[in-house]
Amino acid sequence: MMSAAITTRPPTAPVPHAPAAGGTRRRSRLRTRLELALLLTPALVLFTGFVLVPIGVAVVYSLYSWNGFGPLTDFVGLQNYVDAFSGDVFQGAIGHNLLIATLSIIVQLPLSIGLALLLNRKLRGRTFLRMVVFAPYVLSEAVTAVIWLLMLQPGGFVDEILRGVGLGGFVRLWLADPSIVLYTLFVVITWKYIGFGVILLLAGLQGVPPELREAAALDGASAWQTTRHVVIPLLGPTIRIWIFLSVIGSLQLFDLVWIMTLGGPANASTTMATYLVDHGFKRYEFGFGSAVAVILFIICFVFALLYQRFALRRDTQGALTGVR
Amino acid sequence: MRSKKPLALFAAAALALAGCGGGGDASTEGPVTLTWWHNRTTEPMKSKWQQIADDFHKTHPNTSFTVEPLQNEQFQTKVPLALQGNTPPDLFQQWGGGALADQMKSGKIADITQASSGWIGPLGKYADGWKVGGKQFGVPYQMHAVGFWYRKDLFATAGITSPPTTLDELNAAVAKLKTAGIVPIALGGKDRWPDAFYFGYFAVRQCSVDALKKAVEKTELTDPCFTKAGENLKAFLDTKPFQDGFVGTPAQQGAGSSAGLLANAKAAMELQGDWEPDVMRALTEDKDLDSKLGWFPFPSVPGGQGDPTVLLGGGDGFSCTTRAAKACGEFLEHLVGDEVQKILAETGSGLPVRESAVASLKTETHKQISEAMNKASHLQFYFDTAFPTNVGQALNDAIANFFAGQGGPDTIVQSVSKAAAGNK
């Protein structure tokens, strides 16, 4: 794609008065092309082979009823897509993903900002506290899931802690009650990923010039006003990129749910990705599974494009959108 | 939607191919290296398999092995891919039943009916699950059976003198255990498949062997006995025999799992496979666990037409692919022979397919299960394995939902016909 873009560039206008310079330019153009070819080819080959082609192949599979064995013969058109969207389990799964995404933004974001502001202040044991907040993020998702699965069993660690501090009345069947399980998972997700948001925002806070705070203070702004009107607006780009990562992560949520609940009980915590694995691999319905994968891909892709276009435009100008 | 025609076609093609191999195909005469995918990634079985392969190579210098242990979950994805490709493994873990029938569509599974005719006899009913359309496409090397594991100490505490043999006795035992403040039965509902054991056994006890065989053959549970089994299950669930929050309990992970509850005396019974003691040993400090454990088969159900000796179970086997079917077949013969069967029985990782090896089992409970299995008039494959994979999983999901309070006996029965018809 890149080499095509280069060849379609309008030919350099002839420079009649400087033939020598024209030669240099031609040589340097050749060099640029060589450099581009050299640097881009490996990445392009890998990207094409491992991303674009599989997506294309998945689209083809999704049009067949196919259990993974033998040739593709049973063409069903868009039936797999119709089946997916008309099934209440998959509808539920989309709803669960959206709920997790929404909760992430309205719960995790303020929490991350608060923690980041706190940890940005000079306080005793700051490095230690930062480490504590960040530690869960370093754990693998599978390890996190197994630890919490064990702690959340009835009469397990979490229940004992609650009873120990006199909150025994709040004890629930965390993973077994269909009306609670998704929120339980959300708490675990928050525990795991809050550190990432905090680190990102702490980095963003380093970019807030101290002079601006001082100026605001001199103008008589309270601490709250300084934070609200100076610091948070300057954190905008960081917040926007965090929302982007968080929503994409929520849409693709898999490992944690798969290990902790397998999407149960009674599909109360199924996500699009667990549904995909359940139906694609466990049931040997690779055609249908591919259709679900394509749906998941399209949802993420459309969100990514729209978000880039409308929310991230200013932040990424020049980097992703090209110089105009 | 699910067309049976291509299957027949591919099966015929496979037969034709295998027919050539059986007739002394030149390509299988020379030295071959068999790629062997098995599922024993942990000791002692991992090195036992390697040892068995090495020993076989010594007596059959023309046959060598590349042994690749894989996790169970990997087989789900790797086998379909490998059978699509041109270099599938020559010998791979095979659970039989519907998954095997699915794999037949690749046309790469070797028909060993002729090759095995001289030695498969003593396996008897155990080999049936690895047949498709009356032809042998694999053999089991170990069997598994499900039954109730119970703690003798907790039964004594609750004043239960002998293991229940009828459903009424089981219900009475559950009531006694509750009175004594003991969780009667542990269940790993999160993982879904333990739920399916209950529906499976209520069906096995309610339905005649003929009805069971017909159901598997036709991929449907339309016989009224299956609905009745669902109703019996519902009545049983209504006695609330399980621990709190059982739908969120894992089956085998950690002390809070169903196996862990039983291992640590937090529950008195669990309906599980013969592998259960192995799982439990890893989850408790109790070194004397085996002496506290007892086993009894699923009790008979009043009014049921099922034979109470029938066991629900399955097995571990291997299938050969067509490339080196001759050498592979010879190796299978070796695996089900007395010598290897005794080695396998000593590990306690499953039940032998040869009666002669039963004496080599280490624990009394395993001998007891093995004997029950030999006496059983029929061995009913786990329904999720007996049915084609998509149907089996749909059934398990419907059963798990039922345990979580969603749906009823009719939804369980219908889930099979729906999935068989291609509905999602």
Side-chain angles (χ1 to χ4, degrees):
Chain A
M1 269 166 67
M2 281 316 284
S3 62
I6 290 159
T7 50
T8 54
R9 214 159 62 173
T12 319
V15 189
H17 295 297
T24 321
R25 192 169 299 172
R26 215 171 295 132
R27 225 176 298 139
S28 79
R29 261 183 58 197
L30 191 72
R31 234 187 96 163
T32 317
R33 283 188 194 183
L34 268 174
E35 272 174 10
L36 279 174
L38 195 74
L39 294 174
L40 283 175
T41 309
L44 270 181
V45 167
L46 288 177
F47 188 75
T48 309
F50 290 101
V51 178
L52 296 180
V53 172
I55 291 172
V57 171
V59 171
V60 174
Y61 287 164
S62 73
L63 302 175
Y64 289 85
S65 174
W66 184 52
N67 72 350
F69 305 99
L72 292 165
T73 46
D74 193 358
F75 184 81
V76 294
L78 295 177
Q79 190 58 42
N80 284 331
Y81 292 89
V82 175
D83 285 344
F85 280 119
S86 58
D88 46 358
V89 177
F90 188 64
Q91 285 171 9
I94 297 177
H96 298 154
N97 279 116
L98 293 179
L99 182 70
I100 294 281
T102 315
L103 282 176
S104 296
I105 293 169
I106 59 176
V107 176
Q108 286 179 5
L109 184 60
L111 207 58
S112 303
I113 295 174
L115 278 170
L117 289 172
L118 196 69
L119 291 172
N120 198 39
R121 300 174 61 159
K122 288 197 176 63
L123 64 149
R124 196 187 292 233
R126 184 170 72 169
T127 318
F128 175 74
L129 286 174
R130 282 183 180 181
M131 208 183 70
V132 167
V133 170
F134 192 62
Y137 182 69
V138 183
L139 284 180
S140 91
E141 208 159 309
V143 171
T144 310
V146 172
I147 294 173
W148 280 94
L149 172 64
L150 300 182
M151 291 202 303
L152 286 165
Q153 288 306 315
F157 184 74
V158 171
D159 290 2
E160 289 306 316
I161 293 278
L162 284 174
R163 290 200 182 98
V165 298
L167 294 172
F170 286 98
V171 168
R172 294 285 182 278
L173 294 172
W174 303 113
L175 295 173
D177 186 336
S179 58
I180 289 178
V181 63
L182 203 59
Y183 299 96
T184 308
L185 289 172
F186 176 72
V187 170
V188 178
I189 294 166
T190 306
W191 178 84
K192 167 115 177 72
Y193 286 104
I194 200 81
F196 177 66
V198 170
I199 286 287
L200 215 61
L201 290 163
L202 274 174
L205 282 172
Q206 307 317 306
V208 177
E211 301 86 57
L212 289 181
R213 292 174 192 247
E214 278 167 26
L218 282 177
D219 286 344
S222 67
W224 163 249
Q225 283 171 323
T226 311
T227 304
R228 170 68 189 83
H229 297 288
V230 177
V231 177
I232 292 190
L234 285 170
L235 277 179
T238 316
I239 292 174
R240 283 190 286 273
I241 199 79
W242 179 87
I243 291 178
F244 179 71
L245 295 173
S246 179
V247 171
I248 293 288
S250 304
L251 292 176
Q252 297 180 341
L253 183 61
F254 174 73
D255 314 35
L256 212 87
V257 178
W258 191 250
I259 296 172
M260 291 182 68
T261 68
L262 278 172
N267 298 312
S269 61
T270 307
T271 68
M272 287 188 276
T274 65
Y275 183 84
L276 158 60
V277 172
D278 223 348
H279 287 256
F281 288 126
K282 286 195 83 179
R283 293 193 183 185
Y284 279 177
E285 288 177 338
F286 289 88
F288 181 68
S290 297
V292 175
V294 170
I295 294 170
L296 178 56
F297 168 73
I298 289 173
I299 291 175
C300 290
F301 192 61
V302 167
F303 167 76
L305 284 180
L306 290 177
Y307 196 81
Q308 297 266 14
R309 175 75 182 76
F310 292 107
L312 287 181
R313 198 170 175 197
R314 268 184 309 160
D315 305 332
T316 56
Q317 195 142 42
L320 295 177
T321 49
V323 187
R324 296 230 166 88
Chain B
M1 287 273 276
R2 171 177 280 269
S3 164
K4 290 281 178 197
K5 265 185 193 155
L7 187 141
L9 205 71
F10 285 113
L15 292 185
L17 278 172
C20 296
D25 191 322
S27 66
T28 59
E29 298 275 318
V32 287
T33 302
L34 299 177
T35 305
W36 180 16
W37 290 3
H38 67 71
N39 70 340
R40 301 307 174 101
T41 52
T42 52
E43 299 300 348
M45 281 296 286
K46 192 180 169 189
S47 28
K48 287 277 189 239
W49 277 144
Q50 187 64 52
Q51 186 64 43
I52 287 165
D54 292 346
D55 290 349
F56 188 78
H57 176 63
K58 276 179 206 147
T59 52
H60 300 71
N62 267 346
T63 308
S64 4
F65 292 89
T66 312
V67 186
E68 288 181 41
L70 300 171
Q71 300 274 359
N72 279 341
E73 285 71 21
Q74 285 189 282
F75 282 90
Q76 284 175 5
T77 48
K78 288 197 85 160
V79 167
L81 281 177
L83 291 176
Q84 274 295 104
N86 291 323
T87 51
D90 300 292
L91 177 63
F92 64 94
Q93 167 71 22
Q94 178 61 264
W95 285 279
L100 171 57
D102 280 344
Q103 291 168 9
M104 297 292 304
K105 291 182 191 173
S106 71
K108 295 202 175 79
I109 312 283
D111 177 2
I112 55 167
T113 313
Q114 268 197 317
S116 66
S117 57
W119 48 265
I120 205 155
L123 270 62
K125 59 178 181 270
Y126 298 151
D128 289 351
W130 285 258
K131 276 182 187 162
V132 177
K135 303 271 179 183
Q136 203 72 41
F137 286 95
V139 284
Y141 62 88
Q142 271 183 342
M143 300 308 291
H144 294 295
V146 175
F148 273 108
W149 290 93
Y150 73 99
R151 291 193 67 104
K152 295 174 184 168
D153 47 353
L154 296 186
F155 267 38
T157 311
I160 305 163
T161 46
S162 64
T165 56
T166 64
L167 187 58
D168 292 338
E169 286 176 27
L170 180 64
N171 286 333
V174 165
K176 276 187 186 169
L177 286 160
K178 276 190 175 178
T179 313
I182 299 164
V183 172
I185 306 177
L187 174 64
K190 183 213 110 184
D191 288 310
R192 300 184 213 161
W193 50 266
D195 299 342
F197 290 160
Y198 282 91
F199 178 77
Y201 256 127
F202 272 107
V204 161
R205 292 289 177 260
Q206 189 64 39
C207 304
S208 67
V209 172
D210 275 347
L212 294 172
K213 284 183 176 164
K214 218 171 105 189
V216 170
E217 198 180 304
K218 296 193 164 174
T219 319
E220 59 177 33
L221 300 179
T222 45
D223 193 299
C225 69
F226 289 102
T227 312
K228 178 73 182 138
E231 285 160 7
N232 288 343
L233 173 59
K234 176 139 185 44
F236 183 66
L237 293 184
D238 286 344
T239 68
K240 302 208 185 309
F242 306 119
Q243 80 278 13
D244 280 345
F246 61 86
V247 285
T249 306
Q252 301 181 332
Q253 284 169 315
S257 66
S258 56
L261 292 174
L262 191 63
N264 295 296
K266 300 266 174 62
M269 287 180 266
E270 188 183 6
L271 184 63
Q272 266 293 355
D274 55 273
W275 54 81
E276 192 62 2
D278 262 351
V279 179
M280 281 194 277
R281 257 176 240 126
L283 303 176
T284 179
E285 300 285 303
D286 191 348
K287 294 278 171 266
D288 196 26
L289 186 65
D290 279 325
S291 69
K292 292 172 188 147
L293 286 179
W295 186 89
F296 63 91
F298 196 89
S300 66
V301 170
Q305 276 140 36
D307 177 344
T309 68
V310 176
L311 292 181
L312 183 73
D316 293 302
F318 291 116
S319 274
C320 297
T321 50
T322 46
R323 185 187 72 95
K326 187 165 179 285
C328 182
E330 285 167 6
F331 185 59
L332 290 184
E333 177 183 4
H334 180 63
L335 292 186
V336 301
D338 282 337
E339 185 195 338
V340 172
Q341 282 297 305
K342 278 177 187 159
I343 296 174
L344 296 182
E346 278 164 13
T347 66
S349 54
L351 310 170
V353 294
R354 296 288 283 260
E355 228 171 322
S356 53
V358 171
S360 302
L361 287 166
K362 285 269 171 63
T363 63
E364 286 311 310
T365 43
H366 274 156
K367 283 181 191 165
Q368 185 194 350
I369 303 171
S370 230
E371 275 154 23
M373 209 156 162
N374 284 331
K375 266 188 262 166
S377 65
H378 173 64
L379 179 70
Q380 177 56 48
F381 250 53
Y382 317 116
F383 285 98
D384 58 355
T385 314
F387 287 141
T389 311
N390 63 333
V391 179
Q393 293 300 321
L395 173 63
N396 278 7
D397 285 359
I399 297 169
N401 288 349
F402 180 57
F403 272 71
Q406 216 177 66
D410 48 331
T411 37
I412 296 179
V413 166
Q414 283 157 13
S415 71
V416 169
S417 350
K418 266 192 188 169
N423 291 326
K424 301 297 179 297

